[in-house]
């Protein structure tokens, strides 16, 4: 229908989820077609680049949605209200509600390893 092709008059493009086809800071994302050069945004102080195959939230901006940016991925794992969980491929950092910091993986502080290596990195 012709109404579905009209640009929004309120200046907002909309939000969709898409699959990353080109990883990195200038990502490619498959929506209804592939969009290249999608700018990646993350919360302040947090640096992130999507991986190939990630499902990401894509915001379409501009008069007719011609500008796109990837804003994040779906939340995975269990996080209590007020907790913060940062995950990587082989490690994680959880800031607990009681002030406890939980680290999974090899912890290095100022260049010095703290504690034993994770079980899968030990010589066997």
């Amino acid at each position: 229908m012709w109404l579905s092709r009209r640009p929004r008059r309120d200046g907002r493009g909309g939000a969709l989820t898409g699959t990353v086809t080109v990883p990195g800071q200038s990502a490619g994302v498959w929506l209804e077609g592939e969009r290249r050069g999608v700018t990646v945004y993350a919360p302040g102080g947090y640096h992130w680049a999507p991986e190939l195959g990630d499902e990401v939230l894509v915001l379409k901006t501009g008069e007719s949605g011609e500008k796109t940016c990837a804003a994040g991925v779906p939340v995975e794992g269990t996080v209590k209200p007020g907790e913060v969980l940062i995950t990587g491929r082989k490690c994680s950092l959880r800031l607990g509600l009681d002030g406890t910091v939980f680290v999974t993986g090899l912890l290095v502080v100022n260049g010095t390893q703290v504690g034993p290596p994770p079980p899968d990195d030990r010589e066997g």
Side-chain angles (χ1 to χ4, degrees), residues 6-17:
R6 288 179 41 198
R8 293 176 63 144
R9 293 183 187 256
D10 61 7
R12 295 181 297 163
L16 302 167
T17 56

Side-chain angles (χ1 to χ4, degrees), residues 103-116:
V103 177
T104 303
L106 180 64
L107 177 61
V108 177
V109 177
N110 293 327
T112 303
Q113 179 179 322
V114 178

Side-chain angles (χ1 to χ4, degrees), residues 1 39 51 57 60 67 86 90 98 105-106 112:
M1 177 176 224
T39 304
E51 292 187 56
L57 174 65
K60 296 171 73 177
K67 297 178 185 176
I86 300 172
K90 293 185 177 183
D98 61 356
L106 180 64
T112 303

Side-chain angles (χ1 to χ4, degrees), residues 52-72:
L52 182 66
D54 278 353
E55 180 182 10
V56 294
L57 174 65
V58 178
L59 304 176
K60 296 171 73 177
T61 61
E63 283 298 313
S64 59
E66 71 276 5
K67 297 178 185 176
T68 56
C69 65

